[in-house]
Structure formats: C-alpha cells, structure tokens
Amino acid sequence: FFLNGKSEATKEDDKKGLEIEIEFDKNPEHRLHGIINYLTEKCGGNVMEKGVVELSASSINTSLDRVVDLKSTNVFQTKNRPNQWIKYDFGKRRIRPSSYSIRSKSSSSWAHGGNLQNWVIEGSNDDIEWKVLDRRSDVTALQINNQMETFYIDTLLQPDE
C-alpha cells in the first residue's frame, strides 16, 4: 500500500510549515514514488524503523515493516480474519492522499489465502473521527501474483480535513 498526495515532509519542514505535493504521473514504473518513498529518502531508511511513520495492524502474519519497505517484493499479511486493518500514523504531518498503490502477494505458496479484494481507506486527524476516503469491492486486478495497481481517491476533503 503506497500513497501519493500532499504531505509535510520532515521535522525540519514541519517547523517551516511546508506542504509537499507528490502526484502519481501515471507511469507504472513510478507507482512507488509517493509519500512513503519521499519520507524514506528524507530520513535515510525505513520510515517505520526510523520512527517517521508509526504502523499498527489488527493482526500480524508477516513482518509489519514490509508495509513500508519499498525495495522488497515481500508483502505484509494480516491473519486471515474479517475486518483486518493497517494504520499509518504520520504524527503531526497532515496527509491528503490522492491515490495509492497495492501490490499483491509474490507467491502462490502462502497457506493463508489469496489477494486483497475488498477494502476501505479511511483518514483521521485525531484518531477518533474517521472519514471514508475510498471503498473498493470485488476487485479482481490483484489476483495475479506480484501485481501492482494504483487506485485514485475521489473524495473531496475540506481544507481542515
């Protein structure tokens, strides 16, 4: 899961109040050149390990840091249960996603099921009130192993959201 959109960049940039816009240029080779990639380059490593982005999940079947490891084809997987989730916490950075990319699993040898077909992308500024940004059902584009697709978020956000 890889985001493109608007973000504040680093702690130094936060002090300056800078807004960075990273748009997907529709070139499939640039799908991973979004916010996570930008923050990875700025902090010089894995954004989870460096404490730039805090990740949590409803359950963990594989290593959580895989969610933001852009150089690996290993993917993150929750346990095979209903209503599983992954949360990206960007701290004080306000993220306004415009698109995101999802990569399917890299192998058919996994014992616990197939690729993602249904999901909801939600956003929150306070971790209490959540707004649905995108909802997908019965997606078949990710049924091929090691496939990556980009999805666009059409939800309009108010300036304070």
Side-chain angles (χ1 to χ4, degrees), residues 41-59:
E41 289 178 359
K42 286 292 187 185
C43 76
N46 183 297
V47 294
M48 179 181 161
E49 293 170 1
K50 299 278 187 175
V52 175
V53 176
E54 184 179 323
L55 297 172
S56 55
S58 53
S59 67

Side-chain angles (χ1 to χ4, degrees), residues 8-111:
E8 290 85 21
T10 64
K11 290 180 182 176
E12 290 176 9
D13 292 333
D14 287 343
K15 292 176 189 171
K16 298 175 190 173
L18 296 178
E19 183 176 278
I20 308 300
E21 188 164 351
I22 305 166
E23 290 293 328
F24 177 51
D25 64 6
K26 299 185 179 160
N27 179 340
E29 293 181 19
H30 298 161
R31 288 181 205 264
L32 300 183
H33 294 185
I35 292 167
I36 297 297
N37 181 66
Y38 179 83
L39 294 172
T40 297
E41 289 178 359
K42 286 292 187 185
C43 76
N46 183 297
V47 294
M48 179 181 161
E49 293 170 1
K50 299 278 187 175
V52 175
V53 176
E54 184 179 323
L55 297 172
S56 55
S58 53
S59 67
I60 298 173
N61 203 38
T62 59
S63 180
L64 187 57
D65 66 339
R66 291 180 178 184
V67 173
V68 291
D69 184 352
L70 304 180
K71 296 185 188 306
S72 175
T73 58
N74 292 325
V75 295
F76 171 74
Q77 183 182 23
T78 62
K79 296 193 184 289
N80 190 15
R81 298 179 187 150
N83 302 315
Q84 297 296 288
W85 52 265
I86 302 169
K87 182 173 91 174
Y88 292 69
D89 186 339
F90 290 90
K92 294 185 184 221
R93 292 177 181 86
R94 293 178 55 109
I95 306 297
R96 297 175 63 88
S98 58
S99 65
Y100 58 96
S101 297
I102 298 176
R103 179 176 29 217
S104 63
K105 64 184 181 170
S106 57
S107 169
S108 60
S109 64
W110 285 8

